[in-house]
Amino acid sequence: MSSNNEHQDPRDHSQFSLLKTRRFAPFFLTQFLGAFNDNVYKNSLMAMITFGLLSSTLDLSLMNNIGAMLFILPFFLFSALAGQLSDKYEKSYLIRRIKLLEIVIMCLGAIAFYFSMTAGLMLLLFLMGTQSAFFGPVKYSIIPQHLDNHELVGGNALVEMGTFLAILIGTLVASMLATQSDGILWVSAIIISVAILGYLVSRKIPSAPAANPDLKVRFNPFTETWRTINYSREQKSVFLAVLAISWFWFLGAAYLTQIYGFAKDYLGGDQSVVMVLLATFSIGIATGSLLCERLSGHKVELGLVPLGSIGLTIFGMDLFLQPLPELGPNLISASEFISQTSNLRIIADFLLIGIFGGFYIVPLYAMVQSRSEEKHRSQVIAAINIMNALFMVASAITGIVVLGLLELSIPQFFLILAVLNALVAIYIYRTIPEFAMRFIIWILTHTMYRVKHINLDNIPDEGAHVLVCNHVSFVDALLIGGACRRPVRFVTFKPIYHMPVLNFIFRTAKAIPIDSRKADPEGYEKAFERIAEELRNGEVVCIFPEGKLTTDGEIDEFKNGISRILQETPVPVIPMALRGLWGSFFSHKDRPALSQMPKRFWSKIELIVGDPIPAEEATPEYLKEKVAELRGERQ
């Protein structure tokens, strides 16, 4: 197959191409405008209270806490109901009704702003939280209905980017307009106009049929909340992903809350310095989110999650370790702050915390969407909202305890957050080794090897298939597993299966160890039983029919094991070829593998996938011929 065909594969298109499609663009703009409007309203309200444009008999700090509580409370009360409605009804219809509610809320907000009704404005935060609680399950469960599996990462990346940029732009607009003499009129005009625009755009969202139209809706905030959380616990990996997502919001809430005090009390900066740090953090998350698609190869790449954890810990610790400037009598502006070279390290830390946060959060959302049962998917997303709210409350309490009761500094709090993140990561990755396994494979395939994939879409997203490939090195299975968009069960030579590090990867990936019938007759038979079982369950099984690594770079005779597999379970066979691996670090060229330093440490290799072959045509001789054709002259 030519490389030109590869470029025609829609999976190789940029995620930004989704913004040109009706199945994604109206939804993206709808959620962007909603997040923008929320932040214009909330930040304008707090700015007007702070600068005395709205009167309040309560302390400013107390007002901030009450506002946060009023916004978060609906997530506890209504998320379970929202998840049920999202599973029961068509989703574009629900989105339009939710956007109509936003128009009503913003019109009431404009009236309350005009008459300086501070209490009314605060109560409207509860209604805004209610609207967000109902929108959340629809927002994330509609994505897998309109996007293919290979588009999930890109779609989620765009949504996360849009959300954080909307938060940033909304905060900037509020800070610029709220304190102006005619700020109330400007803010009122914006929030009503954007709400109306959001509704009009939402009318273009294509239909997303109900996943579970027979669901009986129950409204009991306590029993249904627990039931909703239990849906997310049906699969251990999904529930761990839910907890990991909520932990990210714990960290994010902590950083965003403390940025104000950190900028003023430790950096000597005014409000403009706060905005620089907020902008840097938000741009970092948007950048990291967008990079996920390129780094993941258009699949749900869980290997990025540990990478994100490592970055969050390292750069969180660096915020504590770097020396802070001496404070002068007056607060400095953003331009003065940036002009001091020593402060660039602080900006870099916030940027990198955001970037690695994007690496962390996007694959987790995509994983939950792809692995949740469709008829309960919205309720699993609702469970995320419930847990997010709980963790954000826990984050606020932690801040109060650390900074108030223990009287530690904000940099020390950043250190505690970084250490806690490391501990949470270790717990998650030990409980679900798949994350660590995918991380090792991702590192290998992005450092020692530069892998080009040709016609990878020939491997279907569903259905049982057998993959056959030439066997060049100890890491062939890792390179193939890292490329495929669905789990692969590798039939692995037992001595290779038991090698250090590789054994952890193979066990986690549910590989099937096998030895010769003469060396291990019982294990030999059990391996074929496992292969048949996996194929009956609709899985993909990969074998290396040569039965051993090549010692001269040539493709050896294909053994009859493939014939036995197809005789017991006749499924299509997909030939593949690895080329460019001969002479690499883990191959046998010029030496026994791994016995001495190789002549080539870095390798550019290709994985070429052929067309499926019916089981009745897939003889060992014919398969060897097809693999040899795919490999060509390059070893």
Side-chain angles (χ1 to χ4, degrees), residues 114-190:
Y114 184 80
F115 289 104
S116 299
M117 300 166 62
T118 305
L121 289 165
M122 295 292 289
L123 288 175
L124 284 174
L125 285 174
F126 178 84
L127 290 182
M128 289 176 61
T130 301
Q131 183 220 359
S132 296
F134 278 93
F135 185 64
V138 188
K139 170 181 174 180
Y140 284 106
S141 62
I142 198 175
I143 293 175
Q145 284 191 255
H146 284 164
L147 303 186
D148 294 330
N149 286 338
H150 63 271
E151 296 172 320
L152 276 184
V153 172
N156 279 282
L158 289 170
V159 168
E160 294 305 310
M161 175 209 70
T163 298
F164 279 92
L165 288 184
I167 291 171
L168 172 62
I169 297 170
T171 302
L172 289 172
V173 168
S175 65
M176 288 188 296
L177 296 180
T179 57
Q180 301 297 319
S181 58
D182 54 354
I184 286 178
L185 294 178
W186 274 108
V187 169
S188 299
I190 288 173

Coordinates of all heavy atoms in Angstrom, one line a residue, residues 114-190:
Y114 N -29.0 45.6 37.8 CA -29.5 46.9 37.6 C -30.0 47.5 38.9 O -29.8 48.7 39.2 CB -30.6 47.0 36.5 CG -31.1 48.3 36.2 CD1 -30.4 49.2 35.4 CD2 -32.3 48.8 36.8 CE1 -30.8 50.5 35.1 CE2 -32.8 50.1 36.5 CZ -32.0 50.9 35.6 OH -32.5 52.2 35.4
F115 N -30.7 46.7 39.7 CA -31.3 47.2 40.9 C -30.4 46.9 42.2 O -30.8 47.1 43.3 CB -32.7 46.6 41.2 CG -33.7 47.1 40.2 CD1 -34.2 46.3 39.2 CD2 -34.3 48.3 40.4 CE1 -35.1 46.8 38.3 CE2 -35.2 48.8 39.5 CZ -35.7 48.0 38.5
S116 N -29.1 46.5 41.9 CA -28.1 46.2 43.0 C -28.7 45.2 44.0 O -28.5 45.4 45.2 CB -27.7 47.5 43.6 OG -27.1 48.4 42.7
M117 N -29.3 44.2 43.5 CA -29.9 43.2 44.4 C -28.8 42.1 44.7 O -28.8 41.0 44.1 CB -31.2 42.6 43.8 CG -32.3 43.6 43.6 SD -33.6 43.0 42.5 CE -34.2 41.7 43.5
T118 N -28.0 42.4 45.6 CA -26.8 41.5 45.9 C -27.3 40.1 46.3 O -26.8 39.0 45.8 CB -25.9 42.0 47.0 OG1 -25.5 43.4 46.6 CG2 -24.7 41.1 47.2
A119 N -28.3 40.0 47.2 CA -28.8 38.7 47.6 C -29.4 37.9 46.5 O -29.2 36.7 46.3 CB -29.9 38.9 48.7
G120 N -30.1 38.6 45.6 CA -30.7 37.9 44.4 C -29.6 37.4 43.5 O -29.7 36.3 42.9
L121 N -28.6 38.2 43.3 CA -27.4 37.8 42.4 C -26.8 36.5 43.0 O -26.4 35.6 42.3 CB -26.4 38.9 42.3 CG -26.9 40.1 41.4 CD1 -26.0 41.3 41.7 CD2 -26.9 39.7 40.0
M122 N -26.6 36.5 44.3 CA -26.0 35.3 45.0 C -26.9 34.1 44.8 O -26.4 33.0 44.5 CB -25.8 35.6 46.4 CG -24.8 36.7 46.7 SD -23.1 36.3 46.2 CE -22.7 35.1 47.5
L123 N -28.2 34.3 44.9 CA -29.1 33.1 44.8 C -29.1 32.6 43.3 O -29.3 31.4 43.1 CB -30.5 33.5 45.2 CG -30.8 33.7 46.7 CD1 -32.2 34.2 47.0 CD2 -30.5 32.4 47.5
L124 N -28.9 33.5 42.4 CA -28.9 33.1 41.0 C -27.6 32.2 40.7 O -27.7 31.4 39.8 CB -28.8 34.3 40.1 CG -30.2 35.0 39.9 CD1 -30.0 36.3 39.0 CD2 -31.2 34.1 39.2
L125 N -26.6 32.3 41.6 CA -25.5 31.4 41.5 C -26.0 29.9 41.7 O -25.4 29.0 41.0 CB -24.4 31.7 42.5 CG -23.5 32.9 42.2 CD1 -22.6 33.2 43.4 CD2 -22.7 32.7 40.9
F126 N -26.9 29.7 42.5 CA -27.5 28.4 42.7 C -28.2 27.9 41.4 O -28.0 26.7 41.1 CB -28.5 28.4 43.9 CG -29.2 27.1 44.1 CD1 -28.5 26.2 44.9 CD2 -30.4 26.8 43.6 CE1 -29.1 24.9 45.2 CE2 -31.0 25.6 43.9 CZ -30.4 24.6 44.6
L127 N -28.9 28.8 40.8 CA -29.6 28.4 39.5 C -28.5 28.1 38.4 O -28.7 27.2 37.6 CB -30.5 29.5 39.1 CG -31.8 29.6 39.9 CD1 -32.7 30.7 39.3 CD2 -32.6 28.3 40.0
M128 N -27.5 28.9 38.4 CA -26.4 28.6 37.4 C -25.7 27.3 37.7 O -25.4 26.6 36.8 CB -25.3 29.8 37.5 CG -25.8 31.1 37.0 SD -24.6 32.4 37.2 CE -23.3 31.7 36.2
G129 N -25.5 27.0 39.0 CA -25.0 25.7 39.3 C -25.9 24.6 38.9 O -25.5 23.5 38.4
T130 N -27.2 24.8 39.1 CA -28.2 23.8 38.6 C -28.2 23.6 37.1 O -28.2 22.4 36.7 CB -29.6 24.3 39.0 OG1 -29.7 24.5 40.5 CG2 -30.7 23.3 38.6
Q131 N -28.1 24.7 36.4 CA -28.0 24.5 34.9 C -26.7 23.8 34.5 O -26.8 22.9 33.7 CB -28.0 25.9 34.3 CG -27.9 25.9 32.8 CD -27.0 27.0 32.2 OE1 -26.4 27.8 32.9 NE2 -26.9 27.0 30.9
S132 N -25.6 24.1 35.2 CA -24.3 23.4 34.9 C -24.4 21.9 35.3 O -23.9 21.0 34.6 CB -23.2 24.0 35.6 OG -23.0 25.4 35.2
A133 N -25.1 21.6 36.4 CA -25.3 20.2 36.8 C -26.0 19.4 35.8 O -25.8 18.2 35.5 CB -25.9 20.2 38.2
F134 N -27.0 20.0 35.1 CA -27.8 19.3 34.1 C -27.1 19.2 32.8 O -27.3 18.3 32.0 CB -29.2 20.0 33.9 CG -30.2 19.6 35.0 CD1 -30.4 20.3 36.1 CD2 -31.0 18.4 34.8 CE1 -31.3 19.9 37.1 CE2 -31.9 18.0 35.8 CZ -32.0 18.8 36.9
F135 N -26.2 20.2 32.5 CA -25.5 20.2 31.2 C -24.4 19.2 31.2 O -24.0 18.6 30.2 CB -25.0 21.6 30.9 CG -24.4 21.8 29.6 CD1 -25.1 21.6 28.4 CD2 -23.0 22.1 29.4 CE1 -24.5 21.7 27.2 CE2 -22.4 22.2 28.2 CZ -23.2 22.0 27.1
G136 N -23.7 19.0 32.4 CA -22.5 18.2 32.4 C -22.7 16.8 31.9 O -21.9 16.4 31.0
P137 N -23.6 16.0 32.3 CA -23.8 14.6 31.8 C -24.1 14.6 30.3 O -23.6 13.7 29.5 CB -25.0 14.1 32.5 CG -25.0 14.9 33.8 CD -24.6 16.2 33.4
V138 N -24.9 15.6 29.8 CA -25.1 15.7 28.3 C -23.9 16.0 27.6 O -23.6 15.5 26.5 CB -26.2 16.7 28.0 CG1 -26.7 16.6 26.6 CG2 -27.4 16.5 28.9
K139 N -23.1 16.9 28.2 CA -21.9 17.5 27.5 C -20.9 16.4 27.1 O -20.4 16.3 26.0 CB -21.3 18.5 28.4 CG -19.9 19.0 28.0 CD -19.3 20.0 29.0 CE -17.9 20.4 28.7 NZ -17.4 21.3 29.8
Y140 N -20.6 15.5 28.1 CA -19.6 14.5 27.9 C -20.2 13.2 27.3 O -19.4 12.4 26.6 CB -18.9 14.2 29.2 CG -17.9 15.3 29.5 CD1 -18.1 16.2 30.5 CD2 -16.7 15.4 28.8 CE1 -17.2 17.1 30.9 CE2 -15.8 16.4 29.1 CZ -16.0 17.3 30.1 OH -15.1 18.3 30.4
S141 N -21.5 12.9 27.4 CA -22.0 11.7 26.9 C -22.4 11.8 25.4 O -22.6 10.8 24.7 CB -23.2 11.2 27.7 OG -24.2 12.1 27.7
I142 N -22.6 13.1 25.0 CA -23.0 13.2 23.6 C -21.8 13.1 22.6 O -21.9 12.8 21.5 CB -23.7 14.6 23.3 CG1 -24.4 14.6 22.0 CG2 -22.6 15.8 23.4 CD1 -25.2 15.9 21.8
I143 N -20.6 13.3 23.2 CA -19.4 13.3 22.4 C -19.2 11.9 21.7 O -19.0 11.8 20.5 CB -18.1 13.6 23.2 CG1 -18.2 15.1 23.6 CG2 -16.8 13.4 22.4 CD1 -17.1 15.6 24.5
P144 N -19.2 10.8 22.5 CA -19.1 9.5 21.8 C -20.2 9.1 20.9 O -20.1 8.1 20.1 CB -18.9 8.5 23.0 CG -19.5 9.2 24.1 CD -19.3 10.6 23.9
Q145 N -21.4 9.8 21.0 CA -22.5 9.5 20.0 C -22.2 10.1 18.7 O -22.7 9.6 17.6 CB -23.8 10.0 20.6 CG -24.3 9.1 21.7 CD -25.8 9.4 22.1 OE1 -26.0 10.0 23.1 NE2 -26.7 9.0 21.2
H146 N -21.5 11.3 18.7 CA -21.3 12.0 17.4 C -19.9 11.8 16.8 O -19.7 12.1 15.7 CB -21.5 13.5 17.6 CG -23.0 13.8 17.7 ND1 -23.4 15.0 18.2 CD2 -24.1 13.1 17.4 CE1 -24.8 15.1 18.2 NE2 -25.2 13.9 17.7
L147 N -19.0 11.3 17.6 CA -17.6 11.1 17.2 C -17.3 9.6 17.1 O -17.8 8.8 18.0 CB -16.6 11.8 18.1 CG -16.8 13.3 18.2 CD1 -15.6 13.9 19.0 CD2 -16.9 14.0 16.9
D148 N -16.4 9.2 16.2 CA -15.9 7.8 16.2 C -14.8 7.6 17.3 O -14.3 8.6 17.9 CB -15.2 7.5 14.8 CG -16.2 7.6 13.7 OD1 -17.4 7.2 14.0 OD2 -15.9 7.9 12.6
N149 N -14.5 6.4 17.5 CA -13.5 6.1 18.6 C -12.2 6.8 18.4 O -11.6 7.2 19.4 CB -13.3 4.5 18.7 CG -14.5 3.8 19.3 OD1 -15.3 4.4 20.1 ND2 -14.6 2.5 19.1
H150 N -11.7 6.8 17.2 CA -10.4 7.5 16.9 C -10.5 9.0 17.0 O -9.5 9.7 16.9 CB -9.9 7.0 15.5 CG -10.8 7.5 14.4 ND1 -11.8 6.7 13.9 CD2 -10.7 8.6 13.6 CE1 -12.4 7.3 12.9 NE2 -11.8 8.5 12.7
E151 N -11.7 9.6 17.2 CA -11.9 11.0 17.3 C -12.1 11.4 18.8 O -12.2 12.6 19.1 CB -13.0 11.5 16.5 CG -12.8 11.3 15.0 CD -14.1 11.6 14.2 OE1 -15.2 11.3 14.6 OE2 -13.9 12.2 13.1
L152 N -12.3 10.5 19.7 CA -12.6 10.8 21.1 C -11.6 11.7 21.7 O -11.9 12.6 22.4 CB -12.8 9.5 21.9 CG -14.2 8.8 21.8 CD1 -14.2 7.6 22.7 CD2 -15.3 9.8 22.1
V153 N -10.3 11.3 21.6 CA -9.3 12.1 22.2 C -9.3 13.5 21.7 O -9.2 14.5 22.4 CB -7.9 11.4 22.0 CG1 -6.8 12.4 22.5 CG2 -7.8 10.1 22.8
G154 N -9.3 13.7 20.4 CA -9.3 15.0 19.8 C -10.5 15.8 20.2 O -10.4 17.0 20.5
G155 N -11.7 15.2 20.2 CA -12.9 15.9 20.6 C -12.9 16.4 22.1 O -13.2 17.5 22.4
N156 N -12.4 15.5 23.0 CA -12.3 15.8 24.4 C -11.2 16.9 24.6 O -11.4 17.8 25.4 CB -12.0 14.6 25.2 CG -13.2 13.8 25.5 OD1 -14.0 14.1 26.4 ND2 -13.4 12.7 24.8
A157 N -10.1 16.8 23.8 CA -9.1 17.8 23.9 C -9.6 19.2 23.5 O -9.3 20.2 24.2 CB -7.9 17.5 23.0
L158 N -10.4 19.3 22.4 CA -11.0 20.6 22.0 C -12.0 21.1 23.1 O -12.0 22.3 23.4 CB -11.7 20.4 20.7 CG -10.8 20.2 19.5 CD1 -11.6 19.9 18.3 CD2 -10.0 21.5 19.2
V159 N -12.8 20.2 23.7 CA -13.7 20.6 24.7 C -12.9 21.2 26.0 O -13.3 22.2 26.5 CB -14.6 19.4 25.1 CG1 -15.4 19.8 26.4 CG2 -15.6 19.1 24.0
E160 N -11.9 20.5 26.4 CA -11.1 20.9 27.5 C -10.4 22.3 27.2 O -10.4 23.2 28.0 CB -10.1 19.9 28.0 CG -10.7 18.6 28.5 CD -11.6 18.9 29.7 OE1 -11.3 19.6 30.6 OE2 -12.8 18.3 29.6
M161 N -9.9 22.3 26.0 CA -9.2 23.6 25.6 C -10.3 24.7 25.6 O -10.0 25.8 26.2 CB -8.7 23.5 24.2 CG -8.1 24.8 23.6 SD -8.2 24.9 21.8 CE -10.0 25.1 21.5
G162 N -11.4 24.5 25.0 CA -12.5 25.5 24.9 C -12.9 25.9 26.3 O -13.2 27.1 26.6
T163 N -13.1 24.9 27.2 CA -13.6 25.3 28.6 C -12.6 26.2 29.3 O -13.0 27.2 29.9 CB -13.8 23.9 29.4 OG1 -14.8 23.1 28.7 CG2 -14.2 24.3 30.8
F164 N -11.3 25.9 29.3 CA -10.4 26.7 30.0 C -10.1 28.0 29.4 O -9.9 29.0 30.1 CB -9.1 25.9 30.3 CG -9.2 24.9 31.4 CD1 -9.6 23.6 31.2 CD2 -8.9 25.3 32.7 CE1 -9.7 22.7 32.3 CE2 -9.1 24.5 33.8 CZ -9.4 23.2 33.6
L165 N -10.1 28.1 28.0 CA -10.0 29.4 27.4 C -11.3 30.2 27.7 O -11.1 31.5 27.8 CB -9.8 29.2 25.9 CG -8.4 28.7 25.5 CD1 -8.3 28.6 23.9 CD2 -7.3 29.5 26.0
A166 N -12.4 29.6 27.7 CA -13.6 30.3 28.0 C -13.6 30.9 29.4 O -14.0 32.0 29.7 CB -14.9 29.4 27.9
I167 N -13.1 30.1 30.4 CA -12.9 30.5 31.7 C -12.0 31.7 31.8 O -12.2 32.8 32.4 CB -12.4 29.4 32.6 CG1 -13.4 28.3 32.8 CG2 -11.9 29.9 34.0 CD1 -12.9 27.1 33.5
L168 N -10.8 31.6 31.1 CA -9.9 32.7 31.1 C -10.4 34.0 30.4 O -10.3 35.1 31.0 CB -8.6 32.3 30.3 CG -7.6 33.3 30.0 CD1 -7.0 33.9 31.3 CD2 -6.5 32.8 29.1
I169 N -11.0 33.9 29.3 CA -11.6 35.0 28.6 C -12.7 35.7 29.4 O -12.8 36.9 29.5 CB -12.0 34.7 27.1 CG1 -10.8 34.2 26.3 CG2 -12.7 35.9 26.5 CD1 -11.2 33.6 25.0
G170 N -13.6 34.8 29.9 CA -14.7 35.3 30.7 C -14.2 36.1 32.0 O -14.7 37.1 32.3
T171 N -13.1 35.6 32.6 CA -12.5 36.2 33.8 C -11.9 37.6 33.4 O -12.1 38.6 34.1 CB -11.4 35.3 34.4 OG1 -12.0 34.1 34.8 CG2 -10.9 36.0 35.6
L172 N -11.2 37.6 32.2 CA -10.6 38.9 31.7 C -11.7 39.9 31.4 O -11.5 41.1 31.8 CB -9.7 38.6 30.5 CG -8.4 37.8 30.7 CD1 -7.8 37.4 29.4 CD2 -7.5 38.6 31.6
V173 N -12.7 39.5 30.7 CA -13.8 40.4 30.4 C -14.4 41.0 31.6 O -14.7 42.2 31.7 CB -14.8 39.7 29.5 CG1 -16.1 40.6 29.3 CG2 -14.2 39.4 28.1
A174 N -14.7 40.1 32.6 CA -15.3 40.6 33.8 C -14.4 41.5 34.6 O -14.9 42.6 35.1 CB -15.6 39.4 34.7
S175 N -13.1 41.3 34.6 CA -12.2 42.2 35.4 C -12.1 43.5 34.7 O -11.9 44.6 35.3 CB -10.8 41.5 35.5 OG -10.2 41.4 34.2
M176 N -12.2 43.6 33.3 CA -12.1 44.8 32.6 C -13.4 45.7 32.7 O -13.3 46.9 32.8 CB -11.8 44.5 31.2 CG -10.4 44.1 30.9 SD -9.9 44.0 29.2 CE -11.1 42.7 28.6
L177 N -14.6 45.0 32.7 CA -15.8 45.7 32.6 C -16.5 46.0 33.9 O -17.2 47.0 34.1 CB -16.8 44.9 31.7 CG -16.4 44.8 30.2 CD1 -17.5 44.0 29.5 CD2 -16.2 46.1 29.6
A178 N -16.3 45.1 34.9 CA -17.2 45.1 36.1 C -17.0 46.4 36.9 O -17.9 46.9 37.5 CB -16.9 43.9 37.0
T179 N -15.8 47.0 36.9 CA -15.5 48.1 37.7 C -15.6 49.5 36.9 O -15.4 50.5 37.5 CB -14.1 48.0 38.3 OG1 -13.1 47.9 37.2 CG2 -14.0 46.8 39.2
Q180 N -16.1 49.4 35.7 CA -16.3 50.6 34.9 C -17.6 51.3 35.4 O -18.5 50.7 35.9 CB -16.4 50.3 33.4 CG -15.1 49.6 32.8 CD -13.9 50.5 32.9 OE1 -14.0 51.7 32.7 NE2 -12.8 49.9 33.3
S181 N -17.7 52.6 35.1 CA -18.9 53.3 35.5 C -20.2 52.8 34.9 O -21.2 52.8 35.5 CB -18.7 54.8 35.1 OG -18.5 54.9 33.7
D182 N -20.1 52.3 33.7 CA -21.2 51.7 33.0 C -21.1 50.2 32.9 O -21.6 49.5 32.0 CB -21.4 52.3 31.6 CG -20.2 52.2 30.7 OD1 -19.1 51.8 31.3 OD2 -20.2 52.5 29.6
G183 N -20.3 49.6 33.9 CA -20.0 48.2 33.8 C -21.2 47.3 33.9 O -21.3 46.3 33.3
I184 N -22.2 47.7 34.8 CA -23.4 46.9 34.9 C -24.1 46.8 33.6 O -24.6 45.7 33.3 CB -24.3 47.5 36.0 CG1 -23.7 47.3 37.4 CG2 -25.7 47.0 35.9 CD1 -24.5 47.9 38.5
L185 N -24.2 47.8 32.8 CA -24.9 47.8 31.6 C -24.2 46.8 30.6 O -24.8 46.0 29.9 CB -25.1 49.2 31.0 CG -26.0 50.1 31.7 CD1 -26.0 51.5 31.1 CD2 -27.4 49.5 31.8
W186 N -22.8 47.0 30.6 CA -22.0 46.1 29.7 C -22.2 44.7 30.1 O -22.4 43.8 29.2 CB -20.6 46.6 29.7 CG -20.3 47.7 28.8 CD1 -20.0 49.0 29.1 CD2 -20.2 47.6 27.4 NE1 -19.7 49.7 28.0 CE2 -19.9 48.9 26.9 CE3 -20.4 46.6 26.4 CZ2 -19.7 49.2 25.5 CZ3 -20.2 46.9 25.1 CH2 -19.9 48.2 24.6
V187 N -22.0 44.4 31.3 CA -22.1 43.0 31.8 C -23.5 42.4 31.5 O -23.6 41.3 31.0 CB -21.7 42.9 33.3 CG1 -22.1 41.5 33.8 CG2 -20.3 43.2 33.5
S188 N -24.5 43.2 31.8 CA -25.9 42.7 31.5 C -26.1 42.4 30.1 O -26.7 41.4 29.7 CB -26.9 43.7 32.0 OG -26.8 43.9 33.4
A189 N -25.6 43.3 29.2 CA -25.8 43.1 27.7 C -25.1 41.9 27.3 O -25.6 41.1 26.5 CB -25.3 44.4 27.0
I190 N -23.9 41.7 27.8 CA -23.1 40.5 27.4 C -23.7 39.2 27.8 O -23.8 38.3 27.0 CB -21.6 40.6 27.9 CG1 -20.9 41.7 27.2 CG2 -20.9 39.3 27.8 CD1 -19.5 42.0 27.7

